[in-house]
Amino acid sequence: MLKIRNLVMGCALSAALFSASAMAQDGHWVSDSLTTFVRSGPTDGYRIVGTLTSGDPVTVLQTQGDYTQVRGPDGDEVWVQSQFIQDQPSAQQQLPALQKKVDQLTTRLDGIDDEWNQRVADMRNDLKDRQAQVDELQATNNQLNQAYSQAESKMREMQARLDTQEEDLLMRYFMYGGGVAGAGLILGLIVPHLPRRRRKRDRWF
């Protein structure tokens, strides 16, 4: 009886696969809600008593051969192939928590992005202020350089005038001294040739 049932199931599965291959279409995926048969005993010879869906939580009771006895969500104790039992929740069960974590990280990233943009904006504003200060200092430096150049030019002009005045003064002193010397020389030449007045002799006798 079991062999006939397996044969019928095999024929039905082959027919389904043939029909599916005849109407092959892209853009489809295997459903997350997969089911596996459970049996009343730890071998393939025991009858199928139900199914378990991917992601169902179970309690492991014992293991014999390739089968593990579990207690399902409805409290029934059944046997399922050990390869279908894992010690971690399925991807479908983990998806909400993972999605929540992704949302949290996305929010943090958005916050970090906003914070970084604000910091960049502050840095740019600070850079603009510093550039304005540098421009102001540069303008002041240019003004000071210009004032220094004007003062230096004025000082050279005054120095030139002072040198000219000194030369004029020296020339005047020279001419004055030369005049005095010339006058003294002339007087020295003239005075000896001037007639002398004779002294009157007082006669008392």
Side-chain angles (χ1 to χ4, degrees):
M1 183 67 179
L2 181 60
K3 292 182 179 180
I4 296 175
R5 181 183 301 174
N6 291 337
L7 181 60
V8 172
M9 290 181 62
C11 292
L13 181 60
S14 299
L17 291 174
F18 177 79
S19 177
S21 61
M23 297 183 296
Q25 295 180 358
D26 293 332
H28 291 73
W29 292 265
V30 177
S31 173
D32 289 334
S33 300
L34 295 177
T35 58
T36 181
F37 295 113
V38 294
R39 300 180 181 273
S40 59
T43 63
D44 294 343
Y46 287 88
R47 64 187 180 86
I48 296 173
V49 294
T51 59
L52 285 174
T53 303
S54 174
D56 285 344
V58 295
T59 301
V60 174
L61 301 177
Q62 60 176 317
T63 299
Q64 290 186 20
D66 295 333
Y67 276 80
T68 298
Q69 187 181 26
V70 298
R71 182 182 296 113
D74 55 1
D76 293 338
E77 296 180 0
V78 293
W79 291 83
V80 62
Q81 289 187 10
S82 300
Q83 61 178 336
F84 297 130
I85 302 297
Q86 62 185 27
D87 57 359
Q88 295 181 354
S90 65
Q92 185 179 6
Q93 296 292 325
Q94 297 182 42
L95 182 60
L98 293 175
Q99 185 62 47
K100 183 178 180 180
K101 190 171 184 179
V102 169
D103 294 340
Q104 292 175 351
L105 292 175
T106 302
T107 302
R108 286 190 59 188
L109 288 175
D110 292 340
I112 291 175
D113 188 58
D114 294 339
E115 181 182 357
W116 176 252
N117 290 334
Q118 183 62 41
R119 292 178 64 180
V120 170
D122 293 340
M123 292 173 63
R124 288 179 178 175
N125 292 332
D126 185 62
L127 183 61
K128 289 181 180 179
D129 294 339
R130 292 181 182 274
Q131 185 62 43
Q133 293 178 0
V134 170
D135 294 340
E136 183 178 357
L137 291 174
Q138 185 66 37
T140 303
N141 186 52
N142 293 335
Q143 293 177 357
L144 292 175
N145 287 335
Q146 185 177 2
Y148 175 77
S149 298
Q150 293 176 355
E152 191 177 22
S153 177
K154 188 71 174 179
M155 185 179 66
R156 286 197 298 266
E157 181 182 353
M158 294 180 66
Q159 184 66 39
R161 291 178 61 183
L162 182 61
D163 294 340
T164 302
Q165 289 178 358
E166 288 180 354
E167 291 177 359
D168 292 342
L169 184 61
L170 289 175
M171 184 61 68
R172 288 179 184 178
Y173 284 157
F174 179 76
M175 292 179 66
Y176 178 76
V180 171
L185 180 61
I186 293 174
L187 288 176
L189 293 175
I190 293 178
V191 168
H193 296 286
L194 291 177
R196 297 181 178 179
R197 294 179 62 183
R198 293 181 181 180
R199 294 181 179 180
K200 293 182 179 181
R201 293 181 180 180
D202 294 333
R203 293 179 181 182
W204 299 97
F205 53 89

